[in-house]
Each structure stands twice: as structure tokens, then as C-alpha cells.
Amino acid sequence: MRWRAYGEHAALLDCDSLPQMSAAHATIAATRPDGVAELVPGAHSLLVVETPGSGALAAVRELLSGADLEHPPGGEPREITLDVTYDGEDLELVAEDAGVSTEDVVRLHTDAVYTVAFTGFAPGFGYLTGLPEPLRQPRLPTPRTRVPPGSVGIAGEFTGVYPRVSPGGWRLIGHTRAVLFDPRADPPALLAPGDRVRFRSAG
């Protein structure tokens, strides 16, 4: 891991892998040193923002230097279940590439338990890890110009739900009516890093 300055009151931790980033995030979140204003996880990085004058960045560096990131602290993550209608445009493509039936794709996707590793791309979009190996497939060669809100997709090692209309290249396998982002809600995003997510077939 390597620290980089990120403005006057933040530092960016470059990690070797997504699991290492998740372990560092869990370690900091478990103790939350005084003055840590915000943690922003990414695929291989973690941004730590401190309250000016708090010395939180130094405390976080010291915490991680002595932490066992192979065995990060556990916790009581929230569990969220999303009902999905598996009717996505790419469902048959995913099944073909995986060498299974479309029913098997649904079973594989709903049997797994996922973790929100980080959020990004659009407000409310969570990158969920835990996707079964047969469903780990590349993005579409040509992204769609318009993906409907609630679309459930897969790409590489991730699955996720598009919170609003946007372009996108993930393979679409279904849709949910769940609201992933509502600026009037508190918090506005349904998913947060560390949450556990299950998908349930709605028929």
C-alpha cells in the first residue's frame, strides 16, 4: 500500500487489490479515529478525509501500519434484499457464454450473497462483489446509449443496479423496482460500502 497526498486535508491510499482496500476500509471504519470526516473507497484505493487540525490522517496511518489486514474486523453489516424480474436483454447471451441455461443464470445470481465494495459511476450505483465464477463475463463490446433505471447488470467480477437512466456497457440480466437513489431520502443512496445484498427472483 502507498499513501499519496490529496489536497490539504485528505490522503489517498493506493492498495494492491480490492480485498486489501476492503480490509483497510473495514479496519478504519471499525474504530473511526477522531477527526475522520469521510471515507471514499474505490476499486484499488481509499480516500481518507480529515477534519482540519484533527490529526486524523496520522492516526489512520498508524492504525493501518499495525493492522492485520488478512483478518480485518468484522461487524454487523446491513442486509438488503432486492426483488428482480430476470428478463434482461442479455440474459440469453450470459447463459450461452456461461454454458448454462437461463434458469441456471437466475439460480446462480440469486444463490450468492454480495457485498457492496464501493460506489461510483452514478449516485446510488454500488459495485457488488461475490458474483459466481460462471457469471463473470466481459462488458458488451459496444455500450448502450440508454440503460433504463433499475436494470441489473454484470461486468467482470461485479454485479450492480443502474439507479437512473444512463449509458452503460454491462450485460443486463433483469430489472428491479427498488429505488437505489432518492435525493430527498436520508440517506439518499440505498446501498453503502459494506452492506450485504441478496437478489430474489420476482418471477
Side-chain angles (χ1 to χ4, degrees):
M1 297 188 297
R2 182 170 67 94
W3 286 99
R4 290 189 288 161
Y6 204 86
E8 294 184 27
H9 305 296
L12 189 69
L13 179 64
D14 289 324
C15 300
D16 297 330
S17 64
L18 177 58
Q20 187 181 67
M21 183 285 298
S22 297
H25 180 269
T27 299
I28 300 169
T31 57
R32 197 80 182 196
D34 290 341
V36 173
E38 190 174 6
L39 296 173
V40 184
H44 291 156
S45 65
L46 179 63
L47 180 68
V48 182
V49 183
E50 70 173 357
T51 302
S54 66
L57 292 178
V60 167
R61 286 175 184 256
E62 183 177 356
L63 172 65
L64 291 183
S65 67
D68 179 6
L69 296 183
E70 294 294 326
H71 303 90
E76 295 295 330
R78 292 192 310 157
E79 291 201 3
I80 298 166
T81 299
L82 300 177
D83 290 322
V84 176
T85 300
Y86 286 90
D87 59 354
E89 296 178 51
D90 304 312
L91 182 60
E92 291 188 2
L93 172 64
V94 170
E96 180 180 348
D97 282 2
V100 300
S101 67
T102 55
E103 291 79 10
D104 286 333
V105 171
V106 175
R107 177 183 54 79
L108 287 166
H109 196 253
T110 55
D111 280 353
V113 179
Y114 303 92
T115 300
V116 182
F118 58 97
T119 57
F121 169 65
F125 189 95
Y127 289 79
L128 313 183
T129 59
L131 189 67
E133 188 66 37
L135 302 184
R136 298 184 180 187
Q137 301 180 11
R139 291 170 169 80
L140 297 172
T142 302
R144 293 181 171 90
T145 58
R146 185 184 187 279
V147 176
S151 295
V152 178
I154 59 174
E157 65 183 296
F158 301 109
T159 187
V161 182
Y162 286 81
R164 64 184 186 187
V165 175
S166 68
W170 289 30
R171 298 185 179 201
L172 305 181
I173 59 174
H175 75 274
T176 178
R177 295 184 180 276
V179 177
L180 276 294
F181 186 79
D182 180 356
R184 298 164 297 182
D186 183 22
L190 177 63
L191 304 180
D195 288 346
R196 296 285 172 83
V197 179
R198 294 176 183 269
F199 293 97
R200 180 170 57 197
S201 177

